[in-house]
């Protein structure tokens, strides 16, 4: 019987298996509401946090695994606690109070942000041939090229409200745009 099954399966052109891989990090099921904390606190980090909030609100799966704590509650909770420090681990008592005030049971903290954007400008000359009536005319043109390179690296930490670091992850993105 087994040999018949192997013979039948062996004659198929392809065989597909669905494989489920476990997550790299197991997050406690009790963590359902996340607050976002900007520990860098500059204009670029504020922009990144706003983009992250918008992306999470739009792309959360249905039913959602996580919800975001109200942004206004998180901001009020952060301002009532004062500075959260220099980017090191947030103390457990500070996290506990922050979670309580923001109605969250997990915190995603932007710990470090590096954004590099460079512009390159080049100029080159080309000879262009144009047909004017029955004549070919060569003329020199100057072409200006601008290239913008952007590299972003953001270090994030996920905390539970007891002060334990659940995960540390780095987001990286790089792109370049060119125009003549």
């Amino acid at each position: 019987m087994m040999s018949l099954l192997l013979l039948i399966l062996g004659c198929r052109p392809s065989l597909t298996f669905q494989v489920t891989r476990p997550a790299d990090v197991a997050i406690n099921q009790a963590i359902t509401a996340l607050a976002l904390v900007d520990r860098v606190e500059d204009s670029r980090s504020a922009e990144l946090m706003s983009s992250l909030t918008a992306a999470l609100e739009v792309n959360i799966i249905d039913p959602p695994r996580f919800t975001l704590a109200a942004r206004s509650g998180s901001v009020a909770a952060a301002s009532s606690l004062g500075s959260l420090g220099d980017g090191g681990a947030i103390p457990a008592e500070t996290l506990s109070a922050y979670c309580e005030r923001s109605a969250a049971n997990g915190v995603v903290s932007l710990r470090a942000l590096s954004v590099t954007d460079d512009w390159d400008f080049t100029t080159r000359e080309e000879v262009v041939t144009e047909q004017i009536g029955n004549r070919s005319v060569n003329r020199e043109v100057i072409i200006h090229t601008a290239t913008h390179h952007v590299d972003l690296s953001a270090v994030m930490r996920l905390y539970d409200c007891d002060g334990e670091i659940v995960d540390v992850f780095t987001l990286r993105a790089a792109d370049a745009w060119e125009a003549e």
Side-chain angles (χ1 to χ4, degrees):
M1 183 66 177
M2 185 63 140
S3 60
L4 179 62
L5 180 62
L6 288 173
L7 179 66
I8 293 171
L9 290 177
C11 294
R12 292 184 49 145
S14 67
L15 188 60
T16 305
F17 291 97
Q18 187 171 19
V19 177
T20 303
R21 191 180 76 123
D24 293 333
V25 176
I27 299 174
N28 185 335
Q29 292 295 318
I31 298 176
T32 57
L34 298 174
L36 300 176
V37 176
D38 180 358
R39 302 207 43 216
V40 176
E41 298 179 344
D42 67 14
S43 61
R44 290 186 177 207
S45 67
E47 187 177 326
L48 175 67
M49 294 303 277
S50 293
S51 297
L52 182 59
T53 300
L56 287 172
E57 288 172 345
V58 170
N59 294 322
I60 287 182
I61 59 172
D62 188 29
R65 166 65 173 96
F66 302 105
T67 59
L68 291 177
R71 181 91 173 129
S72 58
S74 296
V75 170
S79 64
S80 70
L81 292 172
S83 175
L84 289 175
D86 60 358
I90 302 173
E93 59 277 356
T94 304
L95 268 171
S96 179
Y98 183 80
C99 286
E100 190 174 310
R101 290 192 178 112
S102 65
N105 49 29
V107 174
V108 175
S109 169
L110 174 62
R111 181 174 174 262
L113 176 66
S114 170
V115 180
T116 305
D117 57 0
D118 295 316
W119 285 93
D120 293 322
F121 299 99
T122 59
T123 302
R124 72 179 191 278
E125 292 183 14
E126 283 187 10
V127 175
V128 176
T129 304
E130 294 180 348
Q131 198 67 29
I132 299 177
N134 294 336
R135 294 181 349 165
S136 291
V137 177
N138 292 337
R139 66 182 177 104
E140 288 185 8
V141 294
I142 298 174
I143 299 174
H144 301 279
T145 304
T147 306
H148 187 204
H149 301 273
V150 177
D151 294 304
L152 175 130
S153 176
V155 179
M156 313 283 281
R157 283 186 176 165
L158 172 62
Y159 293 90
D160 65 15
C161 288
D162 295 327
E164 294 294 319
I165 298 173
V166 177
D167 190 22
V168 178
F169 50 99
T170 301
L171 304 172
R172 287 192 177 91
D175 212 340
W177 298 268
E178 185 174 282
E180 289 185 349

